[in-house]
Amino acid sequence: MTTSPVLLLVFNRPATTRRVLEALRVARPPRLLVVADGPRSEHPDDERLCEETRALFDDPGWPCEVTTEFSSVNLGCRMRCISGLDWAFAREDRAIVLEDDCVPHPTFVPFCSELLERYRDDERVHMIRGTNFLRGRRLSRDSYYSSRFCNIWGWATWARAWRHYDGEMRRWPQMRDNAWLESYLPSPAMAKLARYFFEETYAGRLDAWDYQWVFAGWLRNAHCLVPATNLVTNIGFGIDATHTRDAEPGLDDLPLQPIAFPLRHPRDVHVNEAADRLEWELMFPALAAEDSIVQRLAARMGLRWRPSHKASKS
C-alpha cells in the first residue's frame, strides 16, 4: 500500500509541533508537505518561535522528502490554511492533513492511506477524519462508519473534493434563507449551532477556514468517514490557541487507540444516524434545551452570540 503524503499546517508552537513529529516518526510517512504562517509584527516572540518551529523540519527524525511552503508575512489562520491547502492540492491528488496541535496514533497514517485509495473516485465521500468522540462506544464491528460531522483534528481528502471549497461561502445567503439546515440535520439544535457558525464565518467575524469546508461537503450531501477508535488527540487547548482556548469537557487530550488491520469495511457509506446522534449527545448535551452551549462556544472564540441567526420562512 502506498502511503499518502502528510501535510502539516504549523505556525509558532514548536513544543506541540515536536510532539506531532514524534508521533509521525513511528508511522514514517515518506513525504511531508509543510505549510507555515509568518510571524505577527505585534507579537515580539513570534519570529523566534516561528523559526524554532520551522527548524524542526530540517531533520524530522526519519528518512523522508520534505517540501515546504513558508510565508514570510503573517496571513492569519484563515488565509494561511486556505492558501496552504490550495498549494498542496495543486500538486497532490490526495493528502493527510495535521495541524501543529493534533497528535496522531501511528495507525492513523495507514488508516487514511488505505481509505484514500479505496474511495479515491467516490464522490459520496468528502473526507476521512481521525477523531472519534464516542468514548469507546462501538455500534458495529466495522473499522469505520460514515458521518455528517467533518471534524478537522487530523483528516484526509482528495483534490477532487477540495475543488468544491469556497472560502467566501457564496451560496450561504441562498441556503441560509430557507430551511435547508433544518431538513439536512437531524435536530433543530444541530441546525442552530451550524447556522450560527456559518453566519459568523460568512460575515468575516470568525477567522476560520474549516466551516467553509463543512459547508462545501454538506451542499453535496457528501460524508465523512470516521474510525471506530480515536486516532488523533488535540493537545492545543490553551491561551495560545486560535479557536480552542477552553476545552469542552472530554475533548482535550482524548485517549488514542490503535485501529486493527486488516480493516473491516462497511457495506455502504450511508450516514450512521445512530452514531451521529450519540456523538452529538456526548459533545453538546446542553444544546438540546437552550442556547447556552452556543453562547459558551461563541465567547470562547471572542464572538457575540446573535440569537437573530434564524431561518426565514419559505
Side-chain angles (χ1 to χ4, degrees), residues 56 58 136 194 237 253 263 278 283:
L56 294 172
D58 294 341
F237 292 90
D253 273 330
L263 297 180
L278 178 58
M283 292 183 69

Side-chain angles (χ1 to χ4, degrees), residues 183-231:
S183 63
Y184 184 73
L185 296 173
S187 81
M190 293 184 195
K192 179 190 300 182
L193 186 63
R195 180 177 300 281
Y196 175 73
F197 285 113
F198 284 168
E199 180 63 22
E200 292 299 300
T201 302
Y202 174 77
R205 291 184 288 263
L206 180 58
D207 183 32
W209 65 271
D210 51 325
Y211 293 109
Q212 301 96 310
W213 175 237
V214 175
F215 183 63
W218 287 2
L219 281 176
R220 301 189 300 118
N221 193 28
H223 306 148
C224 173
L225 302 180
V226 183
T229 61
N230 184 55
L231 299 179

Side-chain angles (χ1 to χ4, degrees), residues 76-282:
C77 176
R78 175 173 173 153
M79 287 312 302
R80 177 68 290 201
C81 289
I82 294 173
S83 62
L85 288 159
D86 282 344
W87 168 80
F89 288 114
R91 59 191 301 132
E92 304 287 346
D93 70 341
R94 67 192 73 180
I96 300 166
V97 186
L98 289 163
E99 297 189 47
D100 60 6
D101 54 5
C102 295
V103 176
H105 188 274
T107 56
F108 170 68
V109 170
F111 170 77
C112 288
S113 292
E114 181 168 339
L115 297 193
L116 284 170
E117 178 59 24
R118 183 179 180 89
Y119 295 99
R120 64 186 185 277
D121 300 318
D122 193 334
E123 291 286 348
R124 297 173 300 171
V125 181
H126 188 56
M127 61 172 281
I128 302 148
R129 80 184 210 202
T131 45
N132 180 306
F133 297 110
L134 300 185
R135 304 177 192 175
R137 298 166 175 84
R138 295 189 67 152
L139 303 183
S140 80
R141 298 179 63 191
D142 296 331
S143 298
Y144 56 96
Y145 66 90
S146 189
S147 170
R148 293 181 182 84
F149 301 145
C150 301
N151 181 276
I152 48 81
W153 293 353
W155 57 290
T157 195
W158 304 263
R160 60 128 175 110
W162 185 252
R163 73 171 183 266
H164 296 286
Y165 183 85
D166 174 17
E168 303 303 316
M169 294 180 68
R170 282 167 287 196
R171 288 193 60 191
W172 171 240
Q174 171 194 352
M175 306 307 291
R176 175 189 59 202
D177 296 334
N178 59 44
W180 168 63
L181 281 174
E182 285 73 14
S183 63
Y184 184 73
L185 296 173
S187 81
M190 293 184 195
K192 179 190 300 182
L193 186 63
R195 180 177 300 281
Y196 175 73
F197 285 113
F198 284 168
E199 180 63 22
E200 292 299 300
T201 302
Y202 174 77
R205 291 184 288 263
L206 180 58
D207 183 32
W209 65 271
D210 51 325
Y211 293 109
Q212 301 96 310
W213 175 237
V214 175
F215 183 63
W218 287 2
L219 281 176
R220 301 189 300 118
N221 193 28
H223 306 148
C224 173
L225 302 180
V226 183
T229 61
N230 184 55
L231 299 179
V232 177
T233 190
N234 189 316
I235 61 169
F237 292 90
I239 60 172
D240 61 342
T242 302
H243 294 140
T244 53
R245 297 189 176 187
D246 300 304
E248 288 300 309
L251 297 190
D252 58 327
D253 273 330
L254 282 170
L256 293 172
Q257 301 167 294
I259 199 154
F261 293 91
L263 297 180
R264 293 178 59 97
H265 300 283
R267 296 178 63 182
D268 57 56
V269 291
H270 298 312
V271 166
N272 187 321
E273 299 285 355
D276 271 6
R277 286 187 176 276
L278 178 58
E279 178 175 326
W280 175 259
E281 291 167 4
L282 291 170

